[in-house]
Amino acid sequence: MSMIKDLRAAVRPSLRKGGRSAYPYENTRTAAEGTAVVDCAVYRDGQRVDARMTPDEALRRVRASGGREFVWIGLHEPTEREFSGIATEYGLHPLAVEDAVQAHQRPKLERYDDSVFTVFKTIHYVEHAELTATSEVVETGEVMCFTGRDYIITVRHGGQGSLRALRHRMEDDAELLSKGPSVVLHAIADQTVDGYLAVADAVQDDIDEVEIEVFSNTTGNARRGGDAGRIYQLKREVLEFKRAVSPLLRPMQLVSERPMQVIDPEIQKYFRDVADHLTRVNEQVLGFDDLLNSILQANLAQATVAQNEDMRKITSWAAIFAVPTMIAGIYGMNFKYMPELGWKYGYPTVMAVTVTICVAIYRGFKRNGWL
């Protein structure tokens, strides 16, 4: 089996047999335990060591193995107190530790003497029956990775981006996992970017729906700017998507092009595949932003045109009603001597003249498209 096939397969969903977890030493954070460690496992030649160990015990064992083992620690929203012990034991840089605890970081890659710190923004598409001006389209989370020669520590923030299924799939392929921490980092990056691709397809459907409604609806709210709120909300969600994708381009290029001590050269070249997919998603997101700008401008232009049409109709009817108003105003003056005031056919003549003038004005406006 080729390496690239193994790497791609590792992040693909697969069904596991049996209803009970085959990994009895996984820990889920509880209030009673008071720990952020979701899982801590040592891998020897790609096989999970079947022993319960704390992070410091795992590190001592790995360091004594002569490079044949590595530890993978998974944490979920650790506090500074919870993470300080692991950070000290593994020699993590204080600035990276601060970022990992505080979260809400920009996607990035930072290299230290013997480790690499990476931040990924995870994106989840929020299903909705109908897109409204307040609909939430995407949810974001964060996955931060400390990668060393014999360890990888993942810190997750938010309800999205769980790595449990990814860990299980990788444990099913011992040959792949034997490549060490760098292959785990690749799998996390690949899974994150594949999530971007899925979300981009879903957002494209929402944009297509709004575009069709704006350009096909020539009456009703669309012509009068009724969709502006929906378009603006979708644009805001796309902006959130863009903030997750665009800053990650440079880090993925760096990790795929520049030699790094903690990245296996055999694995490094496969980061190019991730970078290529990320470039594709970034182009899609930039296209979404431009397209939504055009749709919003078209929607506002339609609203302006509708308002102008309304003003022309109001002006036309005002001009028509001005004729009888003027005539009634003249003959309503209390003068004794006025032309045709005592004439027998004066009233029907005035009414006929009034109707004739009004009809003539109406036909003129109708012919010119004002009514």
Side-chain angles (χ1 to χ4, degrees):
M1 180 184 296
S2 66
M3 176 66 69
I4 186 63
K5 184 177 181 181
D6 291 344
L7 291 174
R8 298 295 293 166
V11 295
R12 292 292 183 266
S14 59
L15 296 176
R16 302 186 59 82
K17 297 181 180 179
R20 186 174 59 88
S21 173
Y23 306 93
Y25 302 112
E26 288 181 357
N27 296 319
T28 303
R29 183 182 186 181
T30 64
E33 292 173 346
T35 176
V37 178
V38 177
D39 198 359
C40 176
V42 172
Y43 297 91
R44 182 180 182 87
D45 298 329
Q47 297 286 345
R48 182 177 178 128
V49 176
D50 193 13
R52 183 190 295 272
M53 285 177 283
T54 61
D56 56 333
E57 292 172 342
L59 181 62
R60 288 195 294 269
R61 170 173 178 145
V62 166
R63 294 287 163 83
S65 68
R68 296 188 61 188
E69 298 178 351
F70 76 94
V71 58
W72 181 358
I73 303 174
L75 301 100
H76 181 243
E77 297 182 353
T79 64
E80 184 177 357
R81 181 184 61 83
E82 291 172 328
F83 198 31
S84 60
I86 296 177
T88 301
E89 190 72 25
Y90 284 77
L92 306 180
H93 196 280
L95 292 177
V97 172
E98 182 180 0
D99 289 345
V101 172
Q102 292 182 354
H104 305 294
Q105 301 298 316
R106 191 172 184 265
K108 61 183 177 179
L109 181 146
E110 295 177 345
R111 292 187 292 178
Y112 299 100
D113 293 337
D114 56 354
S115 66
V116 171
F117 177 62
T118 51
V119 178
F120 300 98
K121 284 280 191 181
T122 57
I123 298 291
H124 171 70
Y125 179 77
V126 180
E127 296 291 343
H128 44 264
E130 182 180 1
L131 181 65
T132 66
T134 58
S135 294
E136 185 177 13
V137 179
V138 296
E139 288 179 345
T140 61
E142 291 179 63
V143 175
M144 306 175 183
C145 302
F146 296 87
T147 308
R149 287 186 175 276
D150 51 12
Y151 66 84
I152 180 166
I153 302 172
T154 58
V155 181
R156 185 167 61 88
H157 290 269
Q160 308 301 327
S162 174
L163 301 177
R164 177 166 302 194
L166 175 64
R167 186 189 288 259
H168 289 175
R169 290 195 295 272
M170 296 194 71
E171 288 176 352
D172 287 339
D173 193 338
E175 180 183 357
L176 176 63
L177 201 54
S178 65
K179 302 297 181 182
S182 57
V183 78
V184 179
L185 179 62
H186 171 273
I188 293 172
D190 200 20
Q191 175 174 271
T192 301
V193 174
D194 281 349
Y196 295 165
L197 290 169
V199 172
D201 291 339
V203 171
Q204 178 69 67
D205 292 338
D206 283 336
I207 294 177
D208 290 343
E209 177 185 347
V210 170
E211 183 179 21
I212 290 172
E213 290 185 4
V214 167
F215 288 102
S216 65
N217 192 355
T218 57
T219 60
N221 290 334
R223 293 179 70 237
R224 302 174 187 275
D227 283 333
R230 299 171 61 200
I231 299 171
Y232 186 71
Q233 176 65 14
L234 191 54
K235 184 173 174 59
R236 289 188 62 180
E237 296 297 302
V238 168
L239 179 60
E240 187 73 16
F241 195 3
K242 182 179 178 181
R243 288 172 180 166
V245 175
S246 296
L248 193 58
L249 283 171
R250 184 58 180 165
M252 286 297 99
Q253 291 175 351
L254 288 176
V255 77
S256 64
E257 296 172 358
R258 296 186 181 181
M260 299 184 185
Q261 293 182 358
V262 299
I263 304 296
D264 189 331
E266 186 178 355
I267 302 299
Q268 185 176 24
K269 56 188 176 182
Y270 294 105
F271 278 93
R272 298 174 190 169
D273 182 60
V274 179
D276 288 343
H277 287 181
L278 188 63
T279 300
R280 170 189 163 191
V281 176
N282 186 62
E283 291 174 351
Q284 283 184 280
V285 174
L286 293 178
F288 292 161
D289 195 32
D290 292 340
L291 183 57
L292 285 171
N293 283 335
S294 299
I295 295 174
L296 183 59
Q297 291 175 1
N299 182 255
L300 295 178
Q302 288 179 341
T304 302
V305 170
Q307 292 173 356
N308 290 338
E309 290 179 358
D310 291 342
M311 290 303 299
R312 287 194 301 180
K313 290 179 179 180
I314 292 172
T315 303
S316 300
W317 285 112
I320 293 173
F321 284 112
V323 174
T325 301
M326 181 188 66
I327 295 176
I330 292 175
Y331 279 89
M333 293 185 294
N334 296 321
F335 291 115
K336 182 176 181 181
Y337 302 103
M338 292 182 66
E340 316 300 340
L341 191 62
W343 186 34
K344 179 180 178 180
Y345 299 103
Y347 173 75
T349 301
V350 169
M351 294 299 297
V353 170
T354 302
V355 171
T356 300
I357 296 175
C358 290
V359 170
I361 295 175
Y362 175 83
R363 292 186 63 182
F365 284 134
K366 190 75 172 178
R367 183 169 55 253
N368 292 327
W370 283 49
L371 290 174

